[in-house]
Amino acid sequence: MTLKSLSALAIASILILGTASVEARPGDERGVPVRGPGGDRGDRGDRGDRGPGRDDFRGPGHGGGPGYPGPRPPSYPPSYPPGYGDIIVNLPINQRIYNGTRIDLTRFIDVNYYRGMRVASVQVNARSVYGNAVLDLLINGYLNNSVGVSQYNQTYSFFANNVAIGYGSVELANRGDVDVYGVSLRLSR
């Protein structure tokens, strides 16, 4: 034999031995059924606990069939659940604000980072100092919402009219003395 035929024979035997020794595992893309828990190859056709039956796809090169389908691409356009993409930004506000004080909430966040995002809601954790007080949410200087604040520490929610960060002001004003323990903004794209 010549050197060419020997090298061709060696390459062919390596390819044959390499493909014959490969055994598929469950979940493998080739879809070749392997021995189930009962020790059989599932050729009985029933669908018991003994593994796949003979009607399963065996994959290309193993008796026909295209094999098990791979992962599907996402549907277009993607459907997102409500609230997907919302960001909660906790502001470092912990202070007592006296009657008639205004706090500009946009100065506590990085306006360049959140520019263009819309304020969906503002949550304030607060309590009144003396009796009852009122918290107002001002957007661009105009009154948007008001909430009565009791003497007990509670969380109050304001729903903004989708003001964009960087293109308007969001302020918290009060009537009466109020202890503010935390403010968080819910931003959406």
Side-chain angles (χ1 to χ4, degrees), residues 10 15 29 89 122 135 138 143:
L15 289 176
E29 292 179 6
V89 179
V122 178
L135 278 176
L138 304 172
L143 179 64

Side-chain angles (χ1 to χ4, degrees), residues 3 22 51 61 66 75 83 87 96-97 101 108 119 124 127 140 168 180 182:
L3 186 60
V22 174
S75 61
I87 298 173
R96 177 173 287 179
I97 53 177
T101 306
F108 290 97
V119 178
V124 180
R127 74 172 189 87
N140 296 331
V180 177

Side-chain angles (χ1 to χ4, degrees), residues 63-103:
Y68 290 117
R72 293 181 151 178
S75 61
Y76 294 102
S79 57
Y80 295 115
Y84 180 81
D86 289 357
I87 298 173
I88 305 294
V89 179
N90 295 321
L91 304 180
I93 299 174
N94 187 6
Q95 66 184 7
R96 177 173 287 179
I97 53 177
Y98 296 101
N99 190 14
T101 306
R102 287 187 179 187
I103 299 174

Side-chain angles (χ1 to χ4, degrees), residues 2 13 40 46 52 57 69 114 135 141 174-175 181 185:
T2 65
S13 63
D40 58 48
D46 56 348
F57 290 119
Y114 296 110
L135 278 176
N174 66 327
R175 290 178 265 164
Y181 297 109
L185 299 176

Side-chain angles (χ1 to χ4, degrees), residues 2 7 17 33 42 50 61 76 80 84 95 134 139-140 152 158 165 185:
T2 65
S7 64
L17 290 175
R50 289 181 288 248
Y76 294 102
Y80 295 115
Y84 180 81
Q95 66 184 7
V134 176
I139 293 180
N140 296 331
Y152 303 104
F158 298 99
I165 297 291
L185 299 176

Side-chain angles (χ1 to χ4, degrees), residues 35-40 42 44 46-52:
R35 294 191 184 273
D40 58 48
R44 295 193 180 122
D46 56 348
R47 293 275 188 189
D49 290 315
R50 289 181 288 248

Side-chain angles (χ1 to χ4, degrees), residues 119-120 122 136-146 158-163 171:
V119 178
V122 178
D136 299 325
L137 182 69
L138 304 172
I139 293 180
N140 296 331
Y142 294 104
L143 179 64
N144 185 29
N145 282 330
S146 294
F158 298 99
F159 295 102
N161 290 332
N162 284 334
V163 62
E171 296 175 337

